[in-house]
Each structure stands twice: as structure tokens, then as C-alpha cells.
Amino acid sequence: MDGRDLVRSIKAVGSAGAGQGLRTVRAAWRRRRADAAGLPPRGAERARVPGPMQEVEPGPGGGVVRFSRSELRVLVAVNGAVFWGWDGAGPEPSYALAGRCPEPDPRAVLEPDKDGGWRVVAERATVAVSRHGAVEVRTPGGVVLRRELPPRWWEPVGGGPARWTQRSEVAADARFFGLGGRAAGPRLREGTYRLWNTGPGLPFAPGADPLSVTMPVQFVVADAGTHLVFHDSSWDGTVALREGEEGAGSGHDRPGRSVLRMDGGPLRCWVAVGTPARVLLAWASLTGAPALPPAWALGHHHARSGPGDEQEVRRIVAGHQERDLPLDAVHLDVGHLDGHQVFTVDEERFPKLPVLAEELRRDGVRLVSVVGPAVPAAPGNAVYDGGTSEDVFVRDASGQVVRGVGWPGDVVFPDFTRARVREWWGGLYEERLGQGFAGFWHDLDEPTSFAAFGEATLPRSARHSLEGRGGDHREAHNVYASCMARAGYEGVRTLAPEERPFVLSRSGWAGMQRYGGAWSGSVATGWPGLRASLSLVMGLGLCGVPYAGPDVGGAGGSPSPELYLRWLQLAAHLPLFRTHGGQWAGRGAPWEFGAEVLEPARVALVERRRLLPYFVTLAHLARRTGAPYVRPLWWSTPEERALRDCEDAFLLGDCLLVAPVLDPGADRRAVQLPRGRWYDVVTERAYEGPAQVLVEAPLARIPVFARAGAVLPVRGEDGGPVLEVWAPARGRTGGGLVVPDAGDGWVEPEIERYVSRWEGDRVVVEREGEDGVSEPSRPVRVRGLVERSAQM
């Protein structure tokens, strides 16, 4: 534990109850003593750099470059991604990779470069290594996208993990995105960002850092091209970013800068170059396809916090039904558990939970259970007793089981970095499934104690298996939640093999998308919290986690009716759409905000249900291509600088542009439109881009635009699928992809491809297939036929 963690503990005394706060501080001091005993002092250190190049050994896909004090391995994989690792580091083992490292590209070989350096030429990028260890990533045309200066290590004289620093330069016009889920952004300005998954404690707003999902993944966009860089070390660290500046002429530009400092772990890196779509396709091929959520998980969720009971759940569901408000899932917080146990229901408040779950399922509503990693350290507790006998809990350096603090008192934590522990934990979900739960919401999985309000629970000296390699919490902390998500996902898939698991995590790391989605945690109630919600979802999407979303209205306060409605309108167009209310969250259901909110809220909820077939299509495409549902406006044209700087609107797939209202009192807003024709989906008025337009944004709705020529699946009035087609501009064609969902199982449906075009005075829609074109098998509704262009 460092000083920052201790400060969090002391602050918790004033926020928690007196007894719980003092227990938290005592636990913090225990962790500090454990680290003092279990981690050797660093003592004196010596600095090291690679030194001059000495020899080169070509190999498949690249080769090894040896320097006087280190060596660099370079590998171009068949998927186009480039790997390099210092000091003998290879791509494996890695929690980020999905399985084995891709095979090397046999066409890529080491060859001499200018000034005594060497290079590897691949289809999408050239990697050049200088005589002193600088690494450049160039476009096929030779333009430098990124220059990694020779790294520097600080090694303890007495032995132990080395700290290291990697300084990098990018183009002067480049913009930084990513680093996981960040409250600031999505464009990351000058500042230092910490790489240590941390429960923020109190609700967070744009200034909070770090949050629960941090990743050393940078998505960099510049005129010359787009690239993603991932430094594969899960240790604590920081990234200091500074955007560049363009001068008055050649030679006067100041490059952008990234300085990555890590407390340990291998110095190894993956880079993918190309269009944004190609970059994330390569990233998904490395880290795994995003898990496909069940269709119901793409609808409206409502989370209930506080004690509550069966009647409260029925009241929430009935309230939606009586007011004709769509609802697809209800999430139960720790209040439904017996004494905040892990898997035991409070039978006094929920005497017939399986009956309730079955009744709700017949009405199209699923139950989702919160699950945390903390197990009460109480003999007689079935999970604790079973885990003790199986020896699954994390131990300290002296061999004693580590105890933290939770609502029930002392708690212990499973070591999810051990395969047999994951299998044991996954089997425990049988009890949840037996109670009728259809999905699982992982909370406090950084791991963090609720009582500690964001403070790390395990000491850094705690020992972990790390798949048999052995190590401590310094390396395991950031991957802990991903390993828990894997345990839950694989356990549910084994127990209910016919259904797609639904696992939602507050924390995670690179590759977490293989096991489910991300929930934002406690974003602060307020307009800054609304902005942070959008930033977090967009940032996660560019790091390969497409299914994510916040709690509508935030936490820690009661939103005004206007704020709640604007948040609801935004969230209705995000992948995870969840409202949240109850004793610990305040008002959350639309009718609780009065008549002025109820009607426009119904419009937003009904529109989300109408768009469900489109969200299903986006989910399937994300699984196959890695493309996020929510995309920045520059997704298709990253060279457009005006779009790179736009942070208050986004593309939903290829067909829709959503411009949420993020400021109080606004009834109009400016919208930056990409190139092409765009239709306001309500008025059907056409706008020509690229342009900035001023449009109406009454309280009843937010501006949403459809791309001319778009073909997207929607839900018809009878509940059946309909193809909604927006007329292409005269003389142009359009189209779209549709992926029908065959249910919540594992059938891979065929992608349907449609083309729209003018034929005389009518718009024709045809389906393209291997046997040519054919008529659509679904009803078609053409919109945008009336010429009502806006006055610019």
C-alpha cells in the first residue's frame, strides 16, 4: 500500500460509519505492515539503456536485434499486428491475448535500413530499429506514425523487478484516445493518467482518475494514419500525455509526447496500423472477440439498490407495465443477499425468489444478481467453508490468508489467477441460476471493499498463482476483475450451455470483452457526470470493449428532472441502457420525476425498443469485427480534423449520428456533421455535410440523424422486423448490414447485405447474395423521400 491508499483510508472514516471507518483504517495499516514485511525495499538502483547495436538474427516474421545491454525481438503477425519485446520478452504469457500468439507473417523479414539500423517491412506498416534502440512505426509510404525512444530501466542492485520508462513521440497533429474507461475525454488532453484499477470511492466526474478500468492501450489518430499501441504490462504505472503543436513551417512542429512509466513487468508492445476499423479488427484478433450479449440484455435495465424486497421488485415492474414503459431486466444489489453474503438470498425479504423470477420472465423481464469477490470470513458460511477446504483464498507472503473489510466484517478473496479457483467459483453460480437469475453484475471487483470507499483491499505483497508462474498483487491487481469475469462467464456457460452468459463488470483489463461488458460504476450526479458517461463508453469502445454504459442519473445525489431526462435520452442510444434507483441511489424510475418527464421518457424507451434489431446487428458485428457500437464521428474519416476534436456527439454504428444534450437549459445545439447527406429522424429534414448545423433540441428529444442511403433493421408496430431505409442522395447509392438474432443461443446467423438506390422516381432496396440480388424478405419502409433540405 502506498501513501495514496492510506489517504483514501483516512478519508473513509468520515464517510463510513464510525465502526466501519475505524475498521477500514486498521485494515489499511495491516496492509501497510504486510507490504513492509512481504516486499523487500528497493534500495539502491542502477539505470540501464540498450546501448549500441551489436548483431542481428533474422527469424520468422522478423527477428532479434542484440544491443550491448539488451536485446529486442520483433515479430509481424499474420493479422498485421506488430510485436516487439525487450530483454527477451515474448508475447506470452499474457492475460490480454486470446489463446496463443498469432503465427508470424513469413513475408516479413529483417533487412538493413538507413544509418546502420534495421527494419521489418509488412503490408500495413514498417518497423525500423535504430542503432541505439529507438523503434519507429512508419506507414507503407514511409511517414513516421510513432517513434519510441530507447527505453530506460532502473534495476535494484540487490535484485528484483525493474522499473522502466518508455518515451514516445507522435505527429504534431495527433490526438490521443483510449487508456480504458476515463472520465476525461474521450480525447485525452495533456495530463498524467494512472494505470491502476481503482474504485473511485465517492461518485466520479471528469476530473477523477484513475477509475475501475485502466489499460495501457493508446488509440492515436493523425493525418498520416491511425494506430493502436498496447504495452503489455499489468503493473502499476502512469502515462503522461502531451499533444503536439504545428509550427509555421517545416521543422517547426512540436511532436506529441507519451511517457509511460511502469513499476515492473515486461517491456513489450503490440502495434496495429490502418483505418480505425482495421486497427480494431486486428486488436480483436489478438485479444478476443467481444462476448455476444443475449438479446434481452440490449434492452432497458433497471437496477434497484438498498434493502428492498419482493414487493418492491413487483412495484417497479408493475410501474413500468402500467405506464407502458418497456423493461427487460431488473438488477438486484447486495440488499437482496442474506447479510451481504456472496450467494445466499435473504429469504425473509425474498421468500419465493424462483417463483418471482419465473413470473417476471413470462412478462419478458429477467433478473440480474450482483456478485462481488469478497467472501465473509465466517465459519459456517458455505462459500467460506468450501473455499477454505479447497484452499482458494489469496494468501500473504507469510502464508496466511489475507483478510480485508466488507459490510459483513472481515472478508477474504479468491485467487482468480488460478485455473482451479476459477472453476470452483464458476460452479457457485449454479445457486444463482437455480434462484432464477439470468445474468450477473460484478461489483467491487478491482478488488475494492465497499466499506473502504474505493480503497484497494489486498496488499501489494499478497501472493497470486498467476497461472502457476507465481507472483504478487502488484502484477495481479489490474487483471483480477478480468479473471473473475472469466470465472463467472465460463461457469455460467458450463451450467447453462444453451444460453449466452450475461456478465457485467465494474473493473477489468485488456481482453475483458471476451467475458462480457463494463458498467461505469458510480458516476456523479450532475452535468459533468453526464459528460463523463459518454467519455467512458467511447474510450472503452476504442480499447476493444464495445458493450458498456453508465447508470442514468448517476449516484450520490438526486438529479433534476431535466438532467435525468437528458441522461435517459443519451443512455437509450448506448449499448448498456440502465436506470438505477433505490435507497442508495435516489429516484430512478421515470414516473418518479413527474409528468413533465414521463412522456418524453416513454418516447426514449419506446425508441430504444424500436431500435433493438439494430442493436442486435451491432452486437453481432462487434463480435465478428471488433467495431464498437458507439463510434467517434471521425470513425470513417479520421483525416477530418474537425471531427477529431468533436466530443459531444457520436455515431451509433454506420447508420445513425446521435447528438445528446449535455448542458442545462439547452433547447438547441450545434452538431458537427461528417461528409454526406444526413436526415433528422424526426422531421426528416436533410442536411449536407461536412458542416456544423444548429438544430432544435427540445426537452422531448435529442437530435438524431440517419445517414442518407442507410438500411437498418427496426421493430415494426406489430413487433416484427422492418427494414428502415433512408433515401440516398440523387445519383448515389446506399446500403446496410442486418444480422437477425436466432435467439439467445449460439447459432451464428448469416449477415444480410442490402443496397438502396434510386430507380426513376422510387427508391429500390435489394438484397445482395452469392446468387445475385433479390427482393428483401422483410417489409421495407422508405423515409426521407420529401425534399426538405435545411437552410444552411
Side-chain angles (χ1 to χ4, degrees), residues 193-343:
Y193 303 86
R194 192 178 177 197
L195 298 168
W196 186 256
N197 291 349
T198 306
L202 300 177
F204 66 86
D209 187 85
L211 296 181
S212 298
V213 184
T214 68
M215 303 179 194
V217 179
Q218 296 179 28
F219 201 106
V220 185
V221 183
D223 287 354
T226 300
H227 72 274
L228 178 149
V229 59
F230 167 54
H231 289 91
D232 191 357
S233 170
S234 62
W235 287 60
D236 195 358
T238 60
V239 181
L241 300 178
R242 186 193 68 189
E243 292 182 347
E245 291 183 0
E246 294 181 289
S250 176
H252 295 276
D253 288 351
R254 187 190 75 181
R257 183 189 67 185
S258 166
V259 181
L260 176 63
R261 294 182 172 89
M262 301 296 290
D263 286 350
L267 204 175
R268 56 186 181 179
C269 179
W270 283 96
V271 173
V273 176
T275 65
R278 278 185 174 271
V279 164
L280 283 185
L281 177 62
W283 180 239
S285 71
L286 281 175
T287 62
L292 185 65
W296 59 264
L298 295 167
H300 171 219
H301 303 234
H302 183 81
R304 178 68 194 174
S305 69
D309 57 20
E310 201 169 294
Q311 293 307 312
E312 175 66 11
V313 174
R314 293 184 185 276
R315 184 188 72 83
I316 290 293
V317 174
H320 283 81
Q321 294 173 338
E322 292 166 3
R323 296 168 178 84
D324 197 24
L325 302 174
L327 180 65
D328 298 275
V330 173
H331 294 220
L332 299 185
D333 209 336
V334 293
H336 83 282
L337 298 172
D338 183 10
H340 304 287
Q341 307 294 311
V342 183
F343 292 106

Side-chain angles (χ1 to χ4, degrees), residues 750-783:
E750 179 185 357
I751 296 179
E752 301 175 6
R753 303 176 184 273
Y754 293 93
V755 174
S756 62
R757 59 182 175 83
W758 283 98
E759 189 175 276
D761 293 332
R762 68 189 186 99
V763 173
V764 175
V765 180
E766 297 173 323
R767 179 177 176 181
E768 291 185 330
E770 295 180 357
D771 300 327
V773 297
S774 60
E775 293 290 327
S777 59
R778 310 171 188 277
V780 175
R781 180 192 179 198
V782 180
R783 302 184 65 185

